């Protein structure tokens, strides 16, 4: 269902791809009489339904000899490279000043490996090092509308967790998602997803996932020196699970609505802080999301969205002295709401409000207000300005962010709807 | 009596229109292709159009109803040449319908076999948003009507061979209309040969080629890239030097930049249709192209309809 979630297809962010030649070069190249330009359709009618008409295979020295070298590149995958840079001027959180950084450099590749399966990987270099964020195989042989995904990939939770950070509408993921799920939420496991039409103008999609390891980091807990171990060998009953159900439909001629519910259950994990550890902890996160888009193609487009999250179980961890890791099973809630206005095909502005009870001692309330402007110079590079006002523990932080991102090659992440 | 009743019942059944469930379900990316599919398929086809408006086709958004239509389709019609890149690839990948995937007989790429304009010799983003297989605005080529109709006809026949004779007959009738229309356009265009035109984008390159118009350079410096102030200044100067220049724009590209360039250079702007209208009077491709030529004639100050009656159609193109 990636077509309903891929940024390139989102109501406000469909960039332009235009025609290459100028009138002059086109006319120069086509000096022959006009009628002669029309090639007749192949005799006998419909011979080659695919496109392009000519072979996509590079010409070999001898076509009949086939592949004769281990250096043949004809089956190489589609590669992509993303450079995401950030300038961050902050004032008021104790880390005042300007930071210029290469936030991430991402390399990805994907290719079909047989008629029913394709594989891909996404490797990312960040300040913390180089990591394999995703590497998975999608198997589509279960039926036309079913997909089985195996490997490491982003979990199917809500509308935003499947997107890599550089593909978000804003500079960072919304506060409650970062607090309860992490800046990025990957997992090693298996996921089945399927969809079915609901009438002529809507569809229903669902997914179920089972994971042996969850790859995520909580900035709130790390700030306290606490690390969670969400992987390792487990009993079957201790595997993490996800489920998502979402419905999307046309609303009138120019609007769409998507509603969704997501669940992540982690029945067993460990936490470690200082010299102490806590075992047999568990946690659940439930989310409900809604997204409404309106606007005819080629005209101004509005997108409004919200997501409400509820985290339960052993949500709150804190170091109580050097030899006690305090665990509290308090339920936490958070939400975010946003509105984006694409006033040009390549320009948009947006406002996002977020609030969450943080998973640290006392579950303090935090909130963020983001105002952002995005400009695509072409489909392949983007500049974004954002202003953030964050409030935490009665202290305000102001940040001015400038994000500049370049996309090279066949960039497109397979994400869920 | 019983035999009579059975014959009457059979005759009644035969007289009933084909039930929707028996129709060939066709999804067309643009109304131009849908109008041809309906002209050739008649009551045997049921056609859904994806991009209905007059916006830039490179900016169409996929909708849930598009996904469902693609899932149920027997035949999918696209112009190709990456014209529909913004919405077709993801729909094809997500629709879960093997019948219309590239390579299957239900996938009909209308531009296949046609010599596209402007095929790049070098593939680089320094040339803007490049279309690797050439200019994709084939639906605006006055000479491409027969090719598109034949491609659609072949696709319909391949997917419903039992109706081949009916499709053949309707194709012949449609080709006759196209030939008559083309004679009309050629006659009008005789007065335009060598006249200078400019465009914002390259939507109308095929019209320029077909009728021997002279190119004065485009307002976009590179396809898909917002023109720089320096380039705009050069274009204003060039248009001034080459006046009169008629600036051809589509509804989506008739913007403030074009107006400013036209005002500063003293050139006229001519807005042309960029594709058929899914719900309006220009649903038919021939009517849309008639309107395009009428507006060109008005822009050039020449006759429309052509002053002389068109020559009798020969049946070929």
């Amino acid at each position: 269902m990636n077509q309903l979630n891929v940024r390139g297809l989102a109501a406000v962010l469909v960039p332009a791809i235009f025609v290459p030649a100028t009138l002059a070069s086109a006319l120069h190249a086509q000096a022959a009489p006009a009628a002669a330009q029309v090639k007749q359709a192949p005799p006998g009618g419909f011979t080659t339904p695919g496109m392009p008409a000519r072979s996509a295979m590079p010409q070999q020295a001898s076509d009949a000899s086939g592949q004769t070298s281990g250096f043949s590149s004809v089956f190489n995958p589609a590669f992509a490279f993303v450079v995401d840079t950030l300038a961050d001027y902050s004032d008021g959180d104790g880390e005042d000043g300007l930071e210029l950084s290469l936030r991430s450099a991402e390399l990805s590749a994907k290719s079909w490996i047989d008629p029913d399966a394709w594989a891909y990987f996404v490797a990312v270099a960040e300040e913390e090092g180089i990591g394999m964020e995703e590497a998975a195989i999608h198997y589509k042989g279960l039926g036309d509308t079913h997909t089985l995904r195996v490997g490491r990939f982003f979990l199917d939770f809500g509308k935003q967790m499947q997107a890599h950070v550089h593909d978000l509408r804003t500079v960072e993921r919304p506060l409650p998602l970062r607090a309860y799920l992490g800046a990025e939420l990957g997992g090693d496991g298996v996921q089945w997803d399927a969809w079915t039409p609901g009438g002529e103008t809507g569809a229903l999609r669902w997914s179920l996932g089972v994971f042996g390891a969850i790859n995520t980091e909580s900035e709130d807990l790390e700030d306290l020196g606490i690390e969670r171990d969400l992987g390792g060998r487990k009993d079957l009953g201790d595997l993490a699970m996800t489920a998502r159900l979402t419905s999307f439909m046309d609303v009138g001629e120019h609007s769409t609505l998507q509603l969704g519910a997501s669940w992540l259950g982690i029945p067993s994990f460990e936490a470690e802080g200082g010299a102490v550890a806590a075992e047999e902890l568990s946690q659940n996160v439930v989310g409900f999301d809604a997204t409404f888009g309106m606007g005819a193609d080629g005209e101004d487009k509005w997108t409004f969205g919200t997501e409400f999250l509820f985290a339960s179980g052993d949500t709150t961890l804190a170091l109580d002295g050097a030899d006690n890791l305090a665990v509290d099973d308090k339920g936490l809630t958070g939400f975010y709401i946003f509105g984006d206005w694409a006033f040009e095909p390549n320009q948009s502005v947006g406002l996002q409000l977020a609030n969450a009870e943080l998973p640290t001692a006392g579950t303090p309330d935090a909130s963020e207000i983001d105002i952002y402007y995005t400009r695509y110079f072409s489909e392949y590079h983007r500049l974004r300005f954002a202003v953030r006002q964050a409030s935490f523990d009665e202290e305000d932080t102001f940040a001015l962010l400038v994000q500049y991102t370049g996309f090279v090659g066949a960039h497109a992440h397979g994400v869920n709807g | 009596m019983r035999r009579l009743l059975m014959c009457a019942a059979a005759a009644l059944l035969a007289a009933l229109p084909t039930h929707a469930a028996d129709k060939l379900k066709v999804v067309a990316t643009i109304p131009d292709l849908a109008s041809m599919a309906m002209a050739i398929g008649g009551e045997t086809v049921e056609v859904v159009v994806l991009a209905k408006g007059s916006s830039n086709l490179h900016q169409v958004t996929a909708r849930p109803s598009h996904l469902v239509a693609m899932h149920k389709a027997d035949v999918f019609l696209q112009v190709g040449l990456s014209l529909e890149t913004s919405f077709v690839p993801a729909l094809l990948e997500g629709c879960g319908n093997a019948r219309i995937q590239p390579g299957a007989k239900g996938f009909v790429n209308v531009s296949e076999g046609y010599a596209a304009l402007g095929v790049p010799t070098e593939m680089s983003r320094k040339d803007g948003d490049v279309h690797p297989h050439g200019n994709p605005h084939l639906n605006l080529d006055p000479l491409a009507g027969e090719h598109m109709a034949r491609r659609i006809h072949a696709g319909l026949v391949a997917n419903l061979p039992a109706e081949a004779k009916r499709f053949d007959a309707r194709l012949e009738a449609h080709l006759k209309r196209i030939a008559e229309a083309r004679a009309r356009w050629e006659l009008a265009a005789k007065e335009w040969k060598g006249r200078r035109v400019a465009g914002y984008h390259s939507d109308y390159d095929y019209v320029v080629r077909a009728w021997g118009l002279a190119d004065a350079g485009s307002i976009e410096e590179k396809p898909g890239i917002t023109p720089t102030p320096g380039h705009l200044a050069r274009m204003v100067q060039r248009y001034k030097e080459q006046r009169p220049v008629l600036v051809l724009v589509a509804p989506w590209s008739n913007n403030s930049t074009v107006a400013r360039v036209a005002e500063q250079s003293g050139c006229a702007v001519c807005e042309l249709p960029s594709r058929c209208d899914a719900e309006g009077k220009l649903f038919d491709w021939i009517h849309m192209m008639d309107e395009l030529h009428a507006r060109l004639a008005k822009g050039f100050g020449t006759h429309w309809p052509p002053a002389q009656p068109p020559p009798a159609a020969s049946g070929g193109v």
Side-chain angles (χ1 to χ4, degrees), chain B residues 123-155:
Chain B
M123 214 64 73
S124 170
R125 293 293 176 203
K126 75 178 170 55
D127 294 323
D129 287 334
V130 172
H131 281 259
H133 298 103
N135 187 318
H137 300 285
L138 194 70
N139 63 308
L140 295 171
D141 187 347
L143 311 180
E146 180 184 356
H147 180 89
M148 292 192 288
R150 287 193 183 280
R151 290 291 303 158
I152 292 168
H153 168 264

Side-chain angles (χ1 to χ4, degrees), chain A residues 5 155-162 191-194 204-209 241-248 258-264 287-291 307 416-417:
Chain A
N5 203 1
L155 272 56
D156 188 14
F157 192 105
K159 278 284 286 179
Q160 297 202 27
M161 287 313 294
Q162 308 92 349
Q191 178 183 294
W192 165 64
D193 65 75
L204 189 69
R205 178 187 169 277
W206 61 92
S207 74
L208 288 171
M241 295 185 69
T242 60
R244 175 160 170 78
L245 180 67
T246 180
S247 172
F248 37 90
Q258 180 169 4
L259 302 171
S262 312
W263 166 66
L264 165 64
F288 300 96
D289 59 271
T291 309
E307 189 166 3
N416 306 299

Side-chain angles (χ1 to χ4, degrees), chain A residues 97-370:
Chain A
L98 177 66
E99 182 180 16
L100 299 172
S101 63
L102 169 65
R103 192 157 69 149
S104 68
E106 175 193 287
L107 176 67
S108 63
K110 61 181 178 180
S111 179
W112 286 94
I113 53 178
D114 89 356
D116 291 318
W118 62 277
Y120 73 104
F121 77 82
V122 180
V124 177
E126 298 171 304
E127 190 179 352
E128 297 81 14
I130 299 174
M132 185 63 72
E133 287 195 345
E134 295 192 78
I137 299 168
H138 286 226
Y139 179 69
K140 301 179 76 71
L142 299 176
D144 287 340
T145 58
H146 298 255
T147 301
L148 191 66
R149 190 185 305 198
V150 182
R152 174 176 296 180
F153 49 90
F154 281 9
L155 272 56
D156 188 14
F157 192 105
K159 278 284 286 179
Q160 297 202 27
M161 287 313 294
Q162 308 92 349
H164 287 250
V165 171
H166 60 254
D167 283 332
L168 294 170
R169 306 167 7 266
T170 54
V171 175
E172 278 192 294
R173 224 175 283 281
L175 174 66
L177 297 178
R178 298 201 313 272
Y180 305 149
L181 300 168
E184 298 198 313
L185 181 64
D188 293 2
V190 181
Q191 178 183 294
W192 165 64
D193 65 75
W195 71 278
T196 185
E200 298 298 322
T201 60
L204 189 69
R205 178 187 169 277
W206 61 92
S207 74
L208 288 171
V210 179
F211 299 89
I214 301 294
N215 312 311
T216 185
E217 292 167 356
S218 166
E219 58 191 40
D220 300 307
L221 295 178
E222 284 178 3
D223 288 347
L224 299 175
I226 299 172
E227 286 189 7
R228 292 179 300 173
D229 181 3
L230 301 165
R233 191 173 292 275
K234 299 178 190 305
D235 293 334
L236 285 179
D238 289 338
L239 294 172
M241 295 185 69
T242 60
R244 175 160 170 78
L245 180 67
T246 180
S247 172
F248 37 90
M249 64 210 80
D250 288 17
V251 180
E253 191 69 21
H254 301 300
S255 303
T256 58
L257 175 67
Q258 180 169 4
L259 302 171
S262 312
W263 166 66
L264 165 64
I266 305 174
S268 176
F269 69 95
E270 297 174 7
E272 196 175 293
V276 292
E279 297 179 344
E280 297 187 6
L281 305 174
S282 66
Q283 197 175 108
N284 287 283
V285 183
V286 175
F288 300 96
D289 59 271
T291 309
F292 179 71
M294 55 188 283
D297 290 332
E299 297 179 6
D300 289 12
K301 294 192 177 182
W302 292 87
T303 307
F304 302 98
T306 187
E307 189 166 3
F308 175 84
L309 290 106
F310 177 70
S312 62
D314 300 311
T315 56
T316 307
L317 304 171
L319 276 175
D320 185 9
D323 56 357
N324 186 28
L325 185 59
V327 179
D328 193 351
D329 62 354
K330 186 178 178 185
L332 306 174
T333 58
F335 75 95
Y336 67 88
I337 183 168
F338 69 87
D340 291 355
W341 172 39
F343 54 94
E344 292 282 344
N346 59 348
Q347 293 185 79
S348 65
V349 292
L351 170 68
Q352 179 171 278
L353 310 175
N355 181 274
E357 294 172 299
L358 297 184
T360 55
T363 61
D365 228 29
S367 62
E368 288 179 353
I369 301 172
D370 288 88

Side-chain angles (χ1 to χ4, degrees), chain B residues 4-227:
Chain B
L4 190 65
L5 282 173
M6 287 180 69
C7 287
L12 190 63
L13 283 173
L16 287 172
T18 310
H19 189 270
D22 300 323
K23 291 185 174 182
L24 200 61
K25 292 187 174 65
V26 177
V27 170
T29 54
I30 58 173
D32 309 48
L33 306 183
S35 77
M36 288 194 181
M38 291 173 73
I40 297 163
E43 69 280 4
T44 317
V45 299
E46 185 179 278
V47 184
V48 173
V49 187
L50 301 184
K52 293 178 180 171
S54 59
S55 63
N56 184 351
L57 264 183
H58 305 313
Q59 294 159 0
V60 172
T61 307
R63 297 163 60 81
S65 54
H66 295 170
L67 185 73
V68 175
M70 295 278 281
H71 179 67
K72 295 178 176 177
D74 300 306
V75 178
F76 172 67
L77 306 176
Q78 68 161 22
V79 173
L81 300 170
S82 302
L83 180 66
E84 300 101 333
T85 300
S86 74
F87 60 107
V88 162
L91 284 172
L92 279 172
E93 287 169 18
C95 71
N97 183 351
R99 296 187 301 276
I100 60 167
Q101 296 299 317
K105 66 181 180 181
F107 178 87
V108 180
N109 185 54
V110 170
S111 60
E112 190 174 310
Y114 200 78
L117 277 173
V119 180
T121 53
E122 184 187 359
M123 214 64 73
S124 170
R125 293 293 176 203
K126 75 178 170 55
D127 294 323
D129 287 334
V130 172
H131 281 259
H133 298 103
N135 187 318
H137 300 285
L138 194 70
N139 63 308
L140 295 171
D141 187 347
L143 311 180
E146 180 184 356
H147 180 89
M148 292 192 288
R150 287 193 183 280
R151 290 291 303 158
I152 292 168
H153 168 264
L156 297 182
V157 169
N159 286 277
L160 197 56
E163 295 288 337
K165 284 187 179 172
R166 195 177 299 189
F167 292 151
D168 291 349
R170 297 187 72 103
L171 173 69
E172 286 308 311
H174 192 63
L175 291 182
K176 187 167 180 286
R177 283 188 64 217
I178 289 175
E180 289 167 356
R182 180 167 160 180
R184 212 160 45 232
W185 305 332
E186 279 179 349
L187 192 62
K190 277 183 180 173
E191 297 183 75
W192 307 340
K193 197 169 179 63
R195 298 228 187 172
R196 280 185 289 278
V197 294
Y200 179 83
H201 185 52
S202 44
D203 312 51
Y204 303 103
D205 284 12
Y206 286 103
V207 178
V208 171
R209 178 185 74 175
W211 307 136
L213 307 179
D215 168 40
S218 61
I219 294 175
E220 268 185 342
E221 186 171 9
K222 300 285 184 185
I225 308 298
T226 305

